Amino acid sequence: MLTFHSDATGRRRARTELDEGRLVAPYECPERVELVLDRVRQTGLGDIREPETFGLSPVLAVHDRGYVDFIAACWDDWRAAGHAGEAIPSIWPARTMRGDVVPEHIDGRLGYYALAAETSICEGTFEAAMASKDIALSAVSHTLAGGEPAFGLCRPPGHHAASDQFGGYCFFNNAAIAAQHALARGARRVAILDVDFHHGNGTQQIFYARDDVLFASLHGDPRTCFPYFLGHADETGRGRGEGFNRNYPLPPGTAFDTWSRALDDALARIREAGCDLLLVSLGVDAFEHDPISAFKLTSDDFTELGRRLAGLGLPTTFLLEGGYAVEEIGLNAVNVLTGFEAGARQA
């Protein structure tokens, strides 16, 4: 299986994250990519390739132009305003305020386009986000060209990024961009299966009223887990999209036996929908020792996940999302990929 990677993803090296009232070093860091790359090499998974460059057009196919312009200019505008630290939002258009006018001041714009306060914007963020979506597009293009699976080692991740909001370490929604690209290239219906511990609120929002993308997400119950305000089971789509959004919120402490029953239901729905491409938002923070999650999957469970995904028999692209138990992220991510390859050989 080919892995697509770019050193440009390391241009984002944030120093600050708001966590439990403290400013700490971010859990999402460049070292995550290095550990996954090391494991890819150790297992002989396959070649590692540089991505192609696709420009902004695929981003604008799913993201608001004003939002994209904001991400591109935010760091320079923040510094020009005289701020010494990294850009962290402190005010939002909350329920009692207007949300139809974008402020001119960078502090206001930062809050307008943010969905949470934990994610700072620093030097290199836009460049890393552009490289990350190029990785996703190169990986899915490889799968579309010959039907072979591919792994996009994306960083920053993408599934929390909505059409016009960033947060949860995400700026451009890599899976959504890849899905739209596949549709433009002739795919009839794309399945996005999100196995990250945290709900892919951005992916859901982008495709919620559409029937050409089936979104299914297994995640921590939003009553107790980030991002809190989306991801309930009764969110099933709107209009033409009714029935094409499936959420599987699960309680803290969920182990593989319960988690895998939800997975099997999601896979059955993908089969029923007649999807011709599978994109996996591959978060491995459902791991039992992940520092900011609450499920109990083991490293061996990720191998079994890969085998079950292979059972769909669909052209498949994997895109890295979360996973913050840094010592094990490479093992767990690559276990999914090697499990998929083993399952495909047995099919």
Side-chain angles (χ1 to χ4, degrees):
M1 184 184 304
L2 285 181
T3 295
F4 289 87
H5 160 68
S6 170
D7 288 339
T9 63
R11 292 181 184 177
R12 171 175 164 79
R13 184 176 283 275
R15 303 187 309 274
T16 48
E17 174 179 336
L18 185 60
D19 178 53
E20 297 180 351
R22 303 166 299 150
L23 288 177
V24 301
Y27 292 100
E28 202 293 296
C29 57
E31 288 75 15
R32 298 170 63 243
V33 169
E34 296 305 318
L35 288 161
V36 177
L37 278 175
D38 287 346
R39 186 64 180 174
V40 167
R41 295 184 180 108
Q42 290 167 13
T43 58
L45 182 69
D47 290 341
I48 300 169
R49 290 189 184 175
E50 286 281 331
E52 300 176 47
T53 300
F54 290 82
L56 273 177
S57 292
V59 179
L60 294 170
V62 300
H63 287 292
D64 172 75
R65 168 59 105 174
Y67 169 71
V68 174
D69 290 345
F70 161 77
I71 294 295
C74 177
W75 178 246
D76 289 340
D77 291 349
W78 179 260
R79 298 293 287 176
H83 300 316
E86 294 179 333
I88 300 176
S90 60
I91 182 69
W92 287 265
R95 288 190 301 273
T96 55
M97 294 182 175
R98 290 183 61 176
D100 61 330
V101 180
V102 183
E104 294 181 4
H105 195 280
I106 183 57
D107 289 27
R109 280 188 286 131
L110 187 64
Y112 180 85
Y113 288 117
L115 63 85
E118 86 301 326
T119 299
S120 62
I121 290 181
C122 64
E123 184 177 10
T125 293
F126 176 71
E127 291 79 7
M130 288 289 285
S132 192
K133 62 86 182 169
D134 283 340
I135 289 167
L137 288 165
S138 297
V140 75
S141 294
H142 177 77
T143 299
L144 290 170
E148 296 181 353
F151 174 40
L153 188 42
C154 297
R155 180 186 179 268
H159 71 151
H160 292 306
S163 58
D164 63 352
Q165 285 187 302
F166 75 93
Y169 314 129
C170 302
F171 304 95
F172 295 153
N173 194 309
N174 302 311
I177 292 168
Q180 188 62 47
H181 180 73
L183 293 168
R185 294 274 298 272
R188 186 183 67 85
R189 178 171 290 145
V190 176
I192 301 177
L193 176 65
D194 193 325
V195 296
D196 193 287
F197 172 79
H198 304 94
H199 179 249
N201 60 283
T203 313
Q204 172 172 310
Q205 180 263 334
I206 289 168
F207 296 116
Y208 200 62
R210 292 171 54 170
D211 63 359
D212 54 356
V213 175
L214 170 66
F215 176 64
S217 176
L218 286 67
H219 52 269
D221 193 321
R223 292 177 297 179
T224 58
C225 302
F226 182 93
Y228 299 110
F229 301 107
L230 214 59
H232 297 278
D234 63 355
E235 298 160 12
T236 56
R238 182 178 66 251
R240 291 181 60 180
E242 178 61 45
F244 288 88
N245 194 90
R246 292 295 180 101
N247 286 324
Y248 300 88
L250 299 165
T254 292
F256 188 71
D257 55 350
T258 300
W259 191 90
S260 64
R261 287 195 291 272
L263 173 66
D264 288 343
D265 191 83
L267 297 180
R269 176 57 186 148
I270 292 170
R271 290 188 186 96
E272 293 167 4
C275 299
D276 46 13
L277 175 70
L278 174 64
L279 298 177
V280 182
S281 276
L282 183 57
V284 291
D285 47 358
F287 182 55
E288 59 185 339
H289 300 308
D290 194 276
I292 57 174
S293 305
F295 286 170
K296 298 299 180 183
L297 272 64
T298 68
S299 294
D300 287 343
D301 293 335
F302 288 106
T303 304
E304 177 61 21
L305 165 61
R307 290 196 186 99
R308 295 198 190 192
L309 294 177
L312 282 175
L314 289 176
T316 302
T317 300
F318 298 87
L319 304 176
L320 187 67
E321 299 283 2
Y324 309 103
V326 174
E327 294 81 2
E328 294 90 357
I329 183 175
L331 171 66
N332 295 336
V334 176
N335 275 6
V336 178
L337 307 178
T338 56
F340 181 89
E341 290 195 322
R345 287 193 296 269
Q346 295 167 2

